[in-house]
Amino acid sequence: EMPETARLLPPFIQKTQGFSYKSFETFHRMELAKILLRQTAISVNEVASMLGYRKANAFTMKFTKYVGTNPQNFRASISD
């Protein structure tokens, strides 16, 4: 059985933040991905895995939708 606090978290986030838990989770994953891509040389595949994505292409698609460019181009634009 799920702990009480885990069951209460999604409705709490929806009520206090005004968006779904999934949106909240995606926001934080993508912000962490941007930090990792900016500040480390970790591969995109490793970043995807660290953030809980089983497939790097699923991460790449989500990152591209969220940020507007793919992880490789994002990283390249930082070093320009």
Side-chain angles (χ1 to χ4, degrees), residues 6-34:
R7 281 199 310 264
L8 295 175
L9 186 59
F12 175 77
I13 289 172
Q14 177 75 42
K15 183 177 179 180
T16 60
Q17 303 300 312
F19 46 82
S20 71
Y21 178 77
K22 191 73 169 166
S23 295
F24 177 81
E25 179 182 48
T26 299
F27 171 79
H28 286 285
R29 279 182 169 180
M30 295 302 110
E31 290 302 311
L32 181 55
K34 288 174 14 182

Side-chain angles (χ1 to χ4, degrees), residues 36-37 40-44 47 71-79:
L36 291 170
L37 291 167
T40 72
I42 297 171
S43 74
V44 172
V47 170
Q72 295 83 352
N73 289 341
F74 177 83
R75 178 175 269 163
S77 73
I78 300 302
S79 61

Side-chain angles (χ1 to χ4, degrees), residues 25-68:
E25 179 182 48
T26 299
F27 171 79
H28 286 285
R29 279 182 169 180
M30 295 302 110
E31 290 302 311
L32 181 55
K34 288 174 14 182
I35 291 167
L36 291 170
L37 291 167
R38 261 192 224 111
Q39 298 179 2
T40 72
I42 297 171
S43 74
V44 172
N45 287 348
E46 289 178 87
V47 170
S49 180
M50 290 172 70
L51 296 175
Y53 289 88
R54 285 185 249 159
K55 296 183 179 182
N57 70 331
F59 164 72
T60 297
M61 289 173 57
K62 183 68 82 173
F63 186 90
T64 301
K65 182 178 178 183
Y66 182 82
V67 178

